[in-house]
Amino acid sequence: MRDVSVIGIGQTKVGEHWDVSLRHLAWEAVRAALNDAGVKHVDGLYVGNWLGGLLSGQEQLGALIADFVGMRGVEAVKVEAAGASGAAALRQAYTAVASGLMDIAVVVGVEKMTDRIGSPVQAALATGVDSDYEAAQGVTPAALAALLMRRYMYEYGLTLADFAPFSVNAHQNASTNPNAMYRNKITVEAYLKAPMIAEPVNLFDAAPAADGAAALVLCPAAMSRDSSQKPVRIAASAIATDALALHDRPDPLFLTAANLSAGQAYEQAGIGPEDIDVFELHDAYTILAALTLEATGFAGRGEGTRLAADGSIGLKGRIPISTFGGLKARGDPGGATGIYQVVEVVLQLRGEAGPNQVEGARWGMAQNLGGLAATAVTHIFTRQ
């Protein structure tokens, strides 16, 4: 297997793009990534998307986007793994390049989630949980997150205020990210006064559904200097799964898939959590941020919120997370989210994160979750 590098990145602003189609969003991100990489010919295109068929009435995104961005004829497919679709697409592209099947592969995550509102969106999001035993009973992802958060608070004697630092940190970092959906800073007081979505999950605990696209260009590491002055090597790529339904998990408060994929990634990269300088985790809900920090080795069981409380997750902390706002404030464009996470890690390792820069960042990790962590995709990157 060959080492693989990211040589180009591109992204659109995250927000409500009512006047822009899926194909146009994808085109904008792919064009930026190709220009950044300085390449014109590609061998394949992998599209991360979750809800194109349900919310935009469009499937066959591989062929559609390949044609629209000027790649007609290349191998192109859509990859779906609910909210982990973006990282799952990257995993497939990485495998193709590492195996020698391709030399240049493009990955684009794209999603439009704001053209429809209300029950159609909730029904679409519920396709990421167990249809027969959860969604059919009216359970939404937010409700499942509320069950997890309530149990976590009970088990460890916590209150709602213990989760506030996650949201405060995300909004602080998004305030200096021009591509973020919400650039407003918030306080602990504002967090505690936010309206409830599914108690105890409030408005500032849940990431906003959004539109957006982000793209990457991959090539063998040995070729990367030919087209990029700042290649970033993919040191590890791993994916793992868990039971889709929460009630089928022996311990719902332990994210097994997140733990397994992170463990595999650490082993591939030859490092441990103590070596990671920046971590873009999947904070679709603040409870997932706490549980992810525990599952990936940064905190003990029940101690995830302490890292937020003592400032360890800030830009100057021990393990900076959500450095551009995370899903919570940058926004959560479904199948594109995992690629936004990687773009942000690459910017950190290139030293191009501007006011959001984590000084001296050498190792970065991104973990993208599907559903309530039924799928977890972990990638580790390092400066080349």
Side-chain angles (χ1 to χ4, degrees):
M1 298 287 280
R2 303 184 295 185
D3 284 342
V4 179
S5 293
V6 177
I7 59 171
I9 57 175
Q11 62 180 316
T12 71
K13 289 185 177 181
V14 179
E16 298 177 338
H17 297 294
W18 297 329
D19 58 343
V20 184
S21 69
L22 272 174
R23 71 186 78 191
H24 282 89
L25 283 171
W27 173 78
E28 184 178 341
V30 170
R31 179 186 60 172
L34 290 174
N35 287 341
D36 186 46
V39 301
K40 296 182 179 179
H41 171 77
V42 306
D43 300 309
L45 172 71
Y46 293 84
V47 181
N49 176 267
W50 176 14
L51 302 170
L54 289 170
L55 297 183
S56 298
Q58 183 66 66
E59 292 289 5
Q60 280 276 55
L61 292 183
L64 175 76
I65 293 172
D67 177 39
F68 197 71
V69 302
M71 298 179 186
R72 185 183 298 180
V74 305
E75 177 179 331
V77 294
K78 167 187 166 179
V79 180
E80 184 277 317
S85 297
L90 171 57
R91 165 73 172 169
Q92 301 309 310
Y94 165 82
T95 302
V97 175
S99 67
L101 291 175
M102 295 182 185
D103 283 335
I104 305 292
V106 173
V107 188
V108 60
V110 61
E111 201 80 78
K112 278 182 66 66
M113 302 175 70
T114 70
D115 284 357
R116 305 180 72 180
I117 60 174
S119 57
V121 177
Q122 292 305 311
L125 293 174
T127 62
V129 302
D130 192 307
S131 176
D132 291 334
Y133 297 105
E134 292 176 330
Q137 314 306 318
V139 177
T140 65
L144 292 172
L147 291 174
L148 286 176
M149 190 169 175
R150 174 70 73 190
R151 186 67 190 182
Y152 188 86
M153 293 165 68
Y154 171 80
E155 290 288 347
Y156 300 112
L158 303 175
T159 67
L160 186 62
D162 292 305
F163 294 87
F166 287 112
S167 293
V168 172
N169 174 69
H171 279 264
Q172 172 65 41
N173 294 339
S175 69
T176 49
N177 176 10
N179 291 307
M181 187 173 187
Y182 291 117
R183 301 182 63 188
N184 58 307
K185 299 179 182 179
I186 66 170
T187 63
V188 172
E189 292 72 25
Y191 170 89
L192 293 174
K193 293 178 181 178
M196 288 290 166
I197 296 175
E199 193 173 0
V201 173
N202 71 28
L203 188 66
F204 286 143
D205 282 309
D211 308 332
L216 309 168
V217 180
L218 310 184
C219 81
M223 296 171 51
S224 62
R225 291 291 182 183
D226 296 336
S227 57
S228 175
Q229 296 303 307
K230 293 184 178 181
V232 170
R233 183 171 64 86
I234 302 175
S237 175
I239 185 168
T241 56
D242 196 358
L244 192 58
L246 287 186
H247 64 259
D248 283 332
R249 302 180 189 179
D251 183 353
L253 294 183
F254 186 73
L255 303 184
T256 299
N259 175 262
L260 290 173
S261 69
Q264 294 167 17
Y266 291 142
E267 184 176 356
Q268 290 174 29
I271 63 171
E274 66 279 1
D275 298 301
I276 300 297
D277 300 306
V278 58
F279 182 20
E280 293 301 330
L281 51 70
H282 195 96
D283 56 340
Y285 301 97
T286 51
I287 181 61
L288 289 183
L291 293 177
T292 295
L293 288 170
E294 296 171 18
T296 53
F298 294 100
R301 297 292 300 273
E303 298 179 353
T305 57
R306 294 184 187 178
L307 293 181
D310 67 15
S312 294
I313 64 171
L315 293 179
K316 296 183 179 180
R318 159 64 194 94
I319 182 60
I321 67 170
S322 306
T323 63
F324 284 84
L327 284 69
K328 173 61 201 73
R330 179 239 296 129
D332 180 12
T337 290
I339 306 303
Y340 274 97
Q341 292 177 311
V342 175
V343 167
E344 291 159 0
V345 170
V346 170
L347 286 171
Q348 291 286 0
L349 299 183
R350 284 181 173 184
E352 297 175 353
N356 298 73
Q357 184 67 51
V358 174
E359 292 301 322
R362 177 176 176 79
W363 291 94
M365 185 163 78
Q367 187 176 82
N368 195 195
L369 304 180
L372 271 293
T375 301
V377 191
T378 306
H379 287 90
I380 295 177
F381 305 85
T382 188
R383 292 184 305 198
Q384 192 166 317

